[in-house]
């Protein structure tokens, strides 16, 4: 008699333990029993709704395939959205680079037919670059500019593929020197001049086409004009 009682007692303890674990699981996942019963009813309602939609010519498999197609369309839309945003980002950066390249090409085209200008023919406030000398020694390249007036603000920036350093003498300038100078040796391959209404541009083309050889220039103002000194980045 006691053996039967103990067996029932252990079964009762097991059922109590199982119920306690189930309650803890429900509370941990759903937070309360109302949420549990609400989510428990959803599959039953979905099945009832599906059965009302499915007719004699449409099976549950077809309904499932339509659901998968709908999800696939949503995913494809999100992928296209990300691709469009990436294209807009790269297009914006590409536009900036293309504008600079187009500006340099305009320099070459505009100055291809420019005639030398004498200092006494200049309008008021316009400076003249009438002499430029290039020297390379000890891994440094010197561009010595002689100008008719003092050089004011100077700006510069780097470009890649191929490696170039663009230097701008701000203000109104003209020049009576060669527009393009090539070098048979050294880390500078050639120098190109370009004139704009608000600056005189010098573009230094590096013989090494990679950007690691570009260094920031040293600007040294002289009584005759300005010296631009470039250092070989590999030295």
């Amino acid at each position: 008699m006691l053996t039967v009682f103990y067996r029932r007692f252990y079964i009762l303890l097991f059922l109590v333990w199982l119920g306690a674990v189930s309650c803890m699981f429900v509370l941990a996942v759903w937070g309360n029993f109302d949420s549990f019963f609400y989510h428990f009813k959803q599959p039953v309602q979905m099945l009832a709704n599906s059965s009302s939609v499915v007719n004699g010519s449409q099976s549950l498999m077809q309904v499932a395939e339509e659901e998968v197609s709908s999800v696939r369309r949503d995913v494809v839309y999100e992928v296209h959205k990300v691709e469009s945003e990436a294209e807009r980002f790269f297009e914006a950066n590409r536009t900036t680079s293309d504008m600079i390249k187009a500006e340099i090409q305009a320099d070459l085209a505009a100055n291809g037919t420019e005639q030398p200008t004498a200092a006494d023919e200049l309008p008021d406030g316009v400076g003249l670059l009438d002499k430029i000398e290039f020297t390379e020694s000890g891994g440094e390249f010197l561009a010595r500019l002689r100008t008719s007036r003092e050089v004011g603000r100077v700006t510069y920036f780097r470009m890649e593929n191929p490696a170039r350093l663009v230097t701008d003498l701000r203000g109104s300038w003209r020049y009576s020197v060669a527009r393009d100078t090539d070098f048979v040796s050294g880390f500078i391959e050639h120098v190109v001049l370009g004139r704009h209404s608000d600056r005189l541009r010098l573009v230094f083309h590096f013989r090494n086409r990679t950007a690691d050889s570009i260094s920031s220039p040293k600007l040294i103002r002289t009584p005759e004009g300005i010296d631009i000194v470039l250092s070989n980045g590999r030295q």
Side-chain angles (χ1 to χ4, degrees):
M1 185 68 179
L2 290 176
T3 302
V4 175
F5 172 77
Y6 285 127
R7 288 178 182 175
R8 293 179 178 176
F9 179 72
Y10 288 134
I11 293 174
L12 180 61
L13 287 179
F14 173 74
L15 293 176
V16 171
W17 175 81
L18 183 61
V21 171
S22 301
C23 291
M24 293 177 62
F25 176 76
V26 170
L27 293 176
V29 175
W30 283 276
N32 54 62
F33 287 97
D34 291 338
S35 299
F36 168 73
F37 288 123
Y38 173 77
H39 287 89
F40 181 76
K41 292 177 181 179
Q42 292 300 313
V44 178
Q45 293 177 354
M46 290 176 62
L47 182 59
N49 293 335
S50 299
S51 62
S52 63
V53 173
V54 177
N55 51 34
S57 61
Q58 188 178 26
S59 64
L60 288 175
M61 183 61 68
Q62 291 174 331
V63 174
E65 290 177 354
E66 291 179 358
E67 292 292 336
V68 172
S69 299
S70 177
V71 173
R72 186 182 295 112
R73 286 194 298 270
D74 292 340
V75 172
V76 171
Y77 171 77
E78 292 297 332
V79 171
H80 286 323
K81 182 179 179 181
V82 173
E83 290 177 348
S84 299
E85 292 177 353
E87 289 177 357
R88 285 195 297 269
F89 172 78
F90 288 110
E91 186 64 28
N93 289 289
R94 190 183 304 114
T95 301
T96 302
S97 177
D98 291 344
M99 289 176 61
I100 297 175
K101 291 180 180 179
E103 192 174 88
I104 293 177
Q105 292 298 325
D107 290 343
L108 300 178
N111 292 280
T113 57
E114 183 170 343
Q115 300 298 323
T117 304
D120 55 0
E121 299 176 358
L122 293 175
D124 293 339
V126 178
L128 175 67
L129 171 62
D130 57 3
K131 185 177 181 180
I132 184 169
E133 297 177 344
F134 301 105
T135 305
E136 182 178 356
S137 177
E140 289 188 337
F141 182 87
L142 168 65
R144 174 159 290 172
L145 282 64
R146 189 180 71 182
T147 58
S148 62
R149 65 175 177 85
E150 182 180 356
V151 177
R153 180 167 169 254
V154 179
T155 60
Y156 60 87
F157 60 91
R158 303 175 179 84
M159 296 187 68
E160 301 179 3
N161 300 320
R164 285 157 290 173
L165 180 71
V166 181
T167 305
D168 291 330
L169 277 61
R170 296 291 176 168
S172 297
W173 292 93
R174 294 184 183 178
Y175 61 87
S176 59
V177 298
R179 178 180 59 84
D180 197 337
T181 305
D182 296 323
F183 305 96
V184 297
S185 62
F187 65 93
I188 298 296
E189 188 174 29
H190 63 274
V191 178
V192 181
L193 273 71
R195 183 173 65 86
H196 292 263
S197 60
D198 61 344
R199 61 192 176 284
L200 178 65
R201 170 163 292 177
L202 287 85
V203 182
F204 297 88
H205 292 253
F206 284 67
R207 196 174 303 277
N208 185 347
R209 297 306 179 98
T210 59
D212 59 356
S213 62
I214 297 182
S215 60
S216 299
K218 297 178 183 177
L219 305 176
I220 304 173
R221 302 181 187 277
T222 66
E224 293 79 18
I226 190 170
D227 290 352
I228 302 175
V229 183
L230 306 181
S231 300
N232 189 353
R234 295 186 179 277
Q235 295 295 326

